[in-house]
Every structure is written in C-alpha cells, then in structure tokens.
Amino acid sequence: MTGVANAAATIAHEGAQRVVRVAIDPKGWEVPDRAASAVDRAMWAALKQHVLERLEAVRRINHDVVVAAPIYIDLDIELELSILSGYMQDVVLSQAQRKLVGVEGFQKRDSEEKAFFDADSLTFGQSIYWSQIVACLHSVPGVASVKQRKFGRQGTSTSGSQSQLIDKIEIGPYEIAAGPNWNRNLVVKVEQP
C-alpha cells in the first residue's frame, strides 16, 4: 500500500465483536508525536484514514478495524571505536556514522545503501543484536575494534564490565527500534600502532 512500509495486526475479542488492531509503519518517516508540527500530524492522519478506508473495504463481518501507530523504542547505545593508525580519524568516523545512522539532512539516492538505523531499515518486532552493529562498523575501512559500553532500551541499558555485556535488545510485535543519537552516544579511541 502506498505510504506503508510494513504493518502488524492482532485480533482481540470484545463480546460478540472482534477488533482487528493494525499498527502501520509509514514508509520513509516516523509517526509524529504530539509536539510535532500540524503538517506532520495531518500527514499521519491522512495516511491513517487511507489505510482504514482500504481495510474497511475488505473487513469481515463482526470485525471492527482500528489503525494505530507503532510504539517507537528509544535505544541507548554507547560504544568505543578503535581506529587503526594510518587512517584519518574524521574520515573513518564520517563513514561509520553514514553506515549506522546516515547523515541528517541529506536525501539518499536509490543506489545508496541504507544506514543500519534508517527509518525504513527497521520494522515491527525486529530486535537489535550487538553483532549486527559490530559487523556494520567493521565494514568501514580503518575500524580496528568496537567495544560495548551501553546497550539497551533508553533508561534500562547496562554499562560495565565484560560479564555484563548484552547481546540483544528485544523489540516487541508492535514496537520499532528508534536509532541512537550519533553525537551523544559515541566514544572514540584512536588505537596506537
């Protein structure tokens, strides 16, 4: 459907009626919160109405349809990136940022690879694995190692010793992971030769 990247649905029984709850993941953007501009909220309302009308045309008798927004889960990821000597730190960091979170304010070309935390790369119930982040960063020339400092949902992440390392952030069926803030959550260490 135009404007929808993915959807998740459940059926709940409410007396003789059944309620089909459909959460939609908009393509190319996130559902705005209450503090968003009137234009963004109007865009969400229009998409929600469009989906509801399409579903109403095919719904079963005794089934009510409700269209809902996904639950965005803010992540708290802090890592230590070691850069090999002989590589320019600014270049490696720029490429690492592009791989993980993209570049704010720039429109990507169709041929360009999506960032790991791009709005269209993650969807409902897609857990985040530490190994995915490490593999993404190790694909950048000049990255020697990646060390976990914090990894979890905002407000629940743990930091500390090797024995407390987390390998996965669980994301529920109506939830979508929202990428971390690049400038706040990256600690850089330049590795010596």
Side-chain angles (χ1 to χ4, degrees):
M1 180 178 296
T2 305
V4 177
N6 206 346
T10 56
I11 300 175
H13 298 275
E14 292 186 6
Q17 289 289 108
R18 291 185 180 169
V19 177
V20 180
R21 181 177 183 264
V22 180
I24 57 174
D25 178 11
K27 187 173 182 130
W29 51 283
E30 291 183 359
V31 174
D33 59 14
R34 292 180 187 197
S37 71
V39 172
D40 289 342
R41 288 193 316 271
M43 200 165 77
W44 164 244
L47 179 61
K48 188 175 167 180
Q49 185 61 35
H50 174 70
V51 170
L52 187 58
E53 287 170 3
R54 294 283 302 268
L55 292 175
E56 276 293 322
V58 295
R59 77 174 177 87
R60 295 175 67 185
I61 296 173
N62 287 336
H63 285 70
D64 291 333
V65 178
V66 175
V67 177
I71 301 165
Y72 292 106
I73 302 300
D74 290 324
L75 304 180
D76 189 11
I77 299 174
E78 188 176 302
L79 53 90
E80 189 172 295
L81 190 64
S82 295
I83 300 173
L84 294 170
S85 63
Y87 286 87
M88 295 180 65
Q89 181 175 329
D90 291 344
V91 172
V92 174
L93 289 177
S94 174
Q95 291 175 347
Q97 178 181 10
R98 189 172 299 239
K99 282 278 196 178
L100 269 186
V101 297
V103 180
E104 188 82 24
F106 288 96
Q107 187 71 29
K108 63 181 170 292
R109 295 182 290 272
D110 290 337
S111 61
E112 214 174 310
E113 183 182 349
K114 288 182 185 174
F116 182 80
F117 286 109
D118 184 89
D120 287 337
S121 294
L122 301 172
T123 191
F124 293 104
Q126 189 175 346
S127 295
I128 306 298
Y129 292 85
W130 177 249
S131 60
Q132 293 173 308
I133 292 170
V134 171
C136 179
L137 289 171
H138 271 292
S139 71
V140 175
V143 172
S145 66
V146 181
K147 188 185 293 182
Q148 183 183 121
R149 294 173 65 97
K150 283 186 180 178
F151 188 63
R153 290 170 174 249
Q154 191 76 41
T156 63
S157 63
T158 61
S159 59
S161 68
Q162 286 291 109
S163 63
Q164 295 178 332
L165 294 180
I166 308 296
D167 65 341
K168 176 168 99 172
I169 301 172
E170 287 284 347
I171 302 296
Y174 284 112
E175 298 174 333
I176 298 175
N181 181 313
W182 175 262
N183 295 319
R184 191 189 68 214
N185 297 62
L186 183 70
V187 177
V188 180
K189 176 184 127 191
V190 179
E191 188 172 86
Q192 299 300 316

